[in-house]
Amino acid sequence: MATAHEIRQRMKQIQEAREEAFEPLAQVLEQRQELQRQLNELDEPYAKAYVAAEAAGWTAEELSAIGAEEPARRPKGRPRKRVASKAAPADAGSASPATVPAQGGDGEGATVEAGGLTG
């Protein structure tokens, strides 16, 4: 049967082996934290450069296509200008006719076209 001293010695050996196994993780963790700090420092200059590219005429879609992701946080200042929809508004001359329910006693509706009534 093992003595208390032998049991403590075995426990210390196991603990030392665990600490040795942890050492590579601790080193990588330190490097990762440093790289994350450096990346965070680039957020503001990246956002300013991105906004400057947009101001020079680049669209978000074009920038994305070449690998420039939209910044997580935009620099403080004026709000981003929204690009108008590319769909042209329908003009009044191309509207399709619509039937209006009859309001008199004759039971017939009238067709309404741009610029007048028929029926």
Side-chain angles (χ1 to χ4, degrees), residues 35-87:
L35 291 172
Q36 187 65 47
R37 183 193 61 74
Q38 290 175 14
L39 184 59
N40 290 341
E41 286 180 3
L42 291 175
D43 281 348
E44 186 178 348
Y46 178 79
K48 287 180 180 179
Y50 189 94
V51 169
E54 284 182 318
W58 288 89
T59 66
E61 292 79 21
E62 291 170 328
L63 292 169
S64 178
I66 59 174
E69 297 175 1
E70 189 164 351
R73 289 183 294 170
R74 291 186 162 269
K76 294 179 181 177
R78 293 188 317 188
R80 177 177 159 196
K81 180 169 59 169
R82 296 285 178 199
V83 178
S85 174
K86 293 182 181 181

Side-chain angles (χ1 to χ4, degrees), residues 1-62:
M1 191 167 258
T3 66
H5 176 71
E6 291 171 339
I7 294 171
R8 280 194 297 275
Q9 286 300 106
R10 182 68 185 131
M11 183 269 311
K12 288 179 182 179
Q13 289 172 347
I14 293 171
Q15 187 62 26
E16 287 174 8
R18 291 178 67 199
E19 288 177 14
E20 286 177 25
F22 184 79
E23 188 57 35
L25 177 60
Q27 290 175 0
V28 171
L29 182 59
E30 180 182 10
Q31 292 172 347
R32 187 173 186 264
Q33 289 172 340
E34 174 58 23
L35 291 172
Q36 187 65 47
R37 183 193 61 74
Q38 290 175 14
L39 184 59
N40 290 341
E41 286 180 3
L42 291 175
D43 281 348
E44 186 178 348
Y46 178 79
K48 287 180 180 179
Y50 189 94
V51 169
E54 284 182 318
W58 288 89
T59 66
E61 292 79 21
E62 291 170 328

Side-chain angles (χ1 to χ4, degrees), residues 81-105:
K81 180 169 59 169
R82 296 285 178 199
V83 178
S85 174
K86 293 182 181 181
D91 57 35
S94 66
S96 59
T99 301
V100 177
Q103 295 187 7

